[in-house]
Amino acid sequence: QFGSLPEKTNPDNHNETREVFDGLTHEGVHIDMHITTLMPGQMPHPEHHHEWEEVTMLQTGTLEVTIAAKMSRVGPGSVVYVYSDEPHSWKNVGDSPAQYFVLAIGRPKT
């Protein structure tokens, strides 16, 4: 249940993150998922890149997504894939909170 997932709220921008799972595939690759609620006009962080891959699935809201200097606007039901080491960022450009799932594949386990 969504409400039972531990929530972390950023006091600066009121964005919320909930960890869904954290584990290993049958081949030992680290895989984890979190749900973020991003407030209007906010970014979760500046543009960045990392060695792992990410799949982002937008449930509600509108995001402006930039991957390798190519910008797109995505809405509910959209899926965004970020390859390893691609520079990427997103921003909530809607007037309501955007909620999305991020599946990270190969992120180092902390």
Side-chain angles (χ1 to χ4, degrees):
Q1 294 260 348
F2 179 79
S4 67
L5 297 172
E7 176 188 319
K8 295 180 197 170
T9 302
N10 183 323
D12 296 330
N13 54 26
H14 306 290
N15 298 328
E16 300 171 353
T17 302
R18 296 173 189 261
E19 298 299 322
V20 178
F21 67 82
D22 187 345
L24 300 173
T25 68
H26 68 279
E27 293 182 352
V29 176
H30 183 233
I31 186 169
D32 63 86
M33 178 181 278
H34 65 271
I35 301 169
T36 294
T37 304
L38 189 63
M39 296 299 127
Q42 297 296 312
M43 297 176 71
H45 40 65
E47 182 179 81
H48 67 288
H49 63 92
H50 39 67
E51 64 185 41
W52 59 89
E53 300 166 75
E54 289 181 335
V55 178
T56 300
M57 299 153 278
L58 183 59
Q59 183 174 16
T60 61
T62 305
L63 295 179
E64 184 177 87
V65 176
T66 304
I67 302 172
K70 181 180 177 189
M71 186 184 308
S72 300
R73 188 174 282 229
V74 299
S78 296
V79 176
V80 176
Y81 181 77
V82 179
Y83 291 103
S84 175
D85 288 320
E86 273 191 312
H88 61 280
S89 65
W90 40 82
K91 180 178 183 176
N92 181 348
V93 293
D95 57 4
S96 62
Q99 190 169 75
Y100 54 88
F101 295 72
V102 176
L103 179 68
I105 306 163
R107 180 191 336 238
K109 192 163 175 69
T110 56

